[in-house]
Amino acid sequence: MTATAQPTDVAYRGPYGLSEEQELFKRTVHEFAEREIVPVAHDLDEKEEFPRATISKMAELGLLGLLVPDEYGGAGVSTLEYVLAMEEISWADASHSVVISVNNSLVCEPILRFGTSEQKRRFLPALAGGEYVGAYCLSEPTSGSDASNMSTMAVREGDHYVLNGTKSWITNGGESGVYLVYAVTDTSVARARGITAFLVPAETPGLRFGAKEKKLGIRASSTTQVFFEDCRVPHDLVLGNVDEGFRIAMATLDGGRIGIGAQALGIAQRAVDESMRYSKDREAFGHAIADFQGLQWRMADMATRIEAARLLIYRAARMKDAGTPFSQQASMAKLFASETAMFCAHAAVQMFGGYGFVRDYPVEKLFRDAKITEIYEGTSEIQRLVISRHLLRE
Ligand SMILES: Cc1cc2nc3c(=O)[nH]c(=O)nc-3n(C[C@H](O)[C@H](O)[C@H](O)COP(=O)(O)OP(=O)(O)OC[C@H]3O[C@@H](n4cnc5c(N)ncnc54)[C@H](O)[C@@H]3O)c2cc1C
């Protein structure tokens, strides 16, 4: 799959300033998602089954290595195109898009930015080609928002580190080929200055996985605890510099948040699309319910919020592509888009009435899936904290 980077001149077309190639790319991903993912999403959610077959198809389309350059087997597209793909896959199913999100922005991107050339050659082609997916292991049972307060330890023994500890809520847990793990390497300094990032291959002795969490939403994705019991990791699998892992973790999440914003946007767009269709068909009091002003206003509010979320997300992606600081804009995009997803999914369930409350119709799943976007990669409260810190610093 190819798509060119956003032109820097004013050759913008359409309301979002996408080039023709980007519009085509978005449409291609949408058609793929509608054809391959929509028909299986409901069933996978019901069975809480990891979508291996469709992940392979996403890999064939280049969706697992969107940000990975061609030389490592990726599609080598920009962050903007990455979010276009996230939006369209999420429109079909958020359990599929969370795999794309973690693989691209939480695993491939830090390897690209901070990895040695040997680490890039070893892991990126496999991650981009779908040989395996990756996982990002930061959260622990007693540290989530306060991520640097972790307990997992890595102690140096000769040319290895020995890892011990437990990571929680790990997306792709038990399904990944490589785990990007953050552990404390220096207890004599403030935690944020004594954490190191490690690339831990799945076959490493001492690596164990808990049972799949029973979740409210994104039920087809795998979320598990990951246990490290005297896990010996060679020094050459340290990602970046020793004791500088927390910086990697935070920089990685800045980029990831734009992708989660796009996930929320896709869910919100699907909610409005389903609502529009249903409201034209469903009749009450001798009218299609779309004729009632109460519903029309609700749809107008949904569509307006979606437009605003889309503009925030595309702006943050463009800032990242341009190399300008984007942390505040990424948080704003994720915060607004995730609250928009909740607003739209809630409105959609209401518009469907009783049919919104049952699993035979798609909006019930959207309502459940939307919630996670307000929680992972930093809760809405943490996004507000990030935004206000930037404001107060200015
Ligand atoms: C399905 C799922 C998948 C996930 N995938 C991953 C993954 O792949 N890798 C990974 O490392 N983690 C993952 N997570 C973990 C996720 O990032 C954390 O759950 C999230 O960061 C919140 O942490 P916590 O659950 O410990 O909540 P806590 O940090 O305990 O927060 C509890 C509440 O307190 C609020 N709060 C905390 N601090 C403040 C503050 N300073 N000001 C105001 N309010 C505050 C929070 O916003 C929240 O409402 C996943 C979680 C889920 C549910």
Side-chain angles (χ1 to χ4, degrees):
M1 179 184 293
T2 57
T4 55
Q6 178 66 50
T8 49
D9 59 17
V10 197
Y12 287 168
R13 301 170 189 88
Y16 310 114
L18 301 179
S19 67
E20 264 174 37
E21 289 86 350
Q22 288 165 337
E23 296 277 10
L24 176 65
F25 174 79
K26 192 167 189 277
R27 207 161 45 246
T28 305
V29 178
H30 182 89
E31 284 165 6
F32 165 82
E34 199 163 17
R35 186 178 64 245
E36 303 289 347
I37 298 177
V38 170
V40 297
H42 175 83
D43 208 34
L44 291 167
D45 177 74
E46 283 286 307
K47 294 182 186 154
E48 304 190 19
E49 186 181 318
F50 191 69
R52 277 188 207 89
T54 23
I55 288 173
S56 297
K57 291 179 184 173
M58 294 198 302
E60 280 167 25
L61 201 62
L63 298 177
L64 294 192
L66 284 162
L67 302 169
V68 174
D70 184 47
E71 62 175 306
Y72 298 113
V77 301
S78 66
T79 309
L80 182 58
E81 281 132 5
Y82 162 65
V83 302
L84 298 178
M86 275 297 292
E87 181 183 341
E88 295 305 335
I89 298 294
S90 307
W91 181 90
D93 182 39
S95 287
H96 280 79
S97 65
V98 73
V99 175
I100 297 182
S101 158
V102 170
N103 211 61
N104 277 284
S105 40
L106 299 192
V107 182
C108 288
E109 197 163 7
I111 295 176
L112 260 176
R113 281 185 66 187
F114 302 101
T116 61
S117 51
E118 200 182 317
Q119 289 169 346
K120 290 179 194 173
R121 277 199 307 274
R122 175 168 173 188
F123 295 109
L124 290 177
L127 288 163
E131 189 185 314
Y132 51 70
V133 293
Y136 177 89
C137 307
L138 180 66
S139 305
E140 299 191 355
T142 55
S143 69
S145 303
D146 184 10
S148 67
N149 191 33
M150 62 178 63
S151 305
T152 298
M153 299 292 300
V155 176
R156 180 105 195 223
E157 271 185 20
D159 57 357
H160 281 68
Y161 278 88
V162 181
L163 270 64
N164 278 288
T166 301
K167 295 290 177 181
S168 290
W169 312 113
I170 304 308
T171 301
N172 298 339
E175 301 287 351
S176 294
V178 62
Y179 293 78
L180 172 49
V181 183
Y182 298 90
V184 177
T185 36
D186 186 351
T187 50
S188 70
V189 292
R191 279 283 149 112
R193 289 193 284 121
I195 288 169
T196 300
F198 298 90
L199 291 163
V200 183
E203 63 276 12
T204 308
L207 188 59
R208 230 172 24 86
F209 309 101
K212 265 173 86 167
E213 302 290 350
K214 297 271 181 198
K215 303 194 295 288
L216 171 73
I218 55 165
R219 284 157 36 112
S221 91
S222 171
T223 313
T224 71
Q225 285 200 315
V226 180
F227 305 105
F228 302 88
E229 293 159 351
D230 291 332
C231 234
R232 291 176 67 78
V233 180
H235 191 274
D236 59 11
L237 290 184
V238 167
L239 181 68
N241 294 330
V242 171
D243 294 338
E244 290 183 12
F246 198 64
R247 196 171 61 84
I248 296 177
M250 293 300 109
T252 300
L253 287 178
D254 277 343
R257 283 169 185 162
I258 309 176
I260 299 304
Q263 181 179 52
L265 175 62
I267 296 170
Q269 183 65 57
R270 180 75 180 277
V272 86
D273 291 350
E274 295 292 343
S275 301
M276 302 264 274
R277 190 165 54 201
Y278 185 78
S279 65
K280 287 181 194 162
D281 285 347
R282 178 72 179 172
E283 291 191 356
F285 301 99
H287 288 270
I289 59 170
D291 291 343
F292 300 130
Q293 196 177 48
L295 270 76
Q296 292 169 1
W297 286 13
R298 197 187 289 267
M299 276 190 261
D301 287 344
M302 291 162 85
T304 305
R305 289 186 194 209
I306 287 173
E307 284 290 284
R310 182 171 286 121
L311 292 170
L312 280 172
I313 292 162
Y314 291 5
R315 178 185 67 158
R318 286 185 168 116
M319 287 176 74
K320 179 166 177 279
D321 285 334
T324 45
F326 64 93
S327 164
Q328 181 186 353
Q329 286 72 23
S331 284
M332 285 177 165
K334 183 193 184 265
L335 172 64
F336 190 79
S338 58
E339 294 190 347
T340 295
M342 279 306 284
F343 176 84
C344 291
H346 179 267
V349 168
Q350 191 66 17
M351 232 179 275
F352 271 66
Y355 295 104
F357 200 67
V358 292
R359 299 224 282 265
D360 308 338
Y361 287 79
V363 294
E364 180 267 352
K365 176 173 169 298
L366 295 173
F367 185 74
R368 290 187 286 104
D369 287 348
K371 185 61 201 169
I372 191 57
T373 65
E374 292 187 318
I375 296 174
Y376 57 18
E377 299 205 23
T379 62
S380 293
E381 291 76 18
I382 294 306
Q383 305 312 325
R384 288 187 165 88
L385 213 72
V386 172
I387 296 163
S388 59
R389 277 187 191 150
H390 278 282
L391 294 175
L392 292 167
R393 206 180 295 154
E394 277 162 11

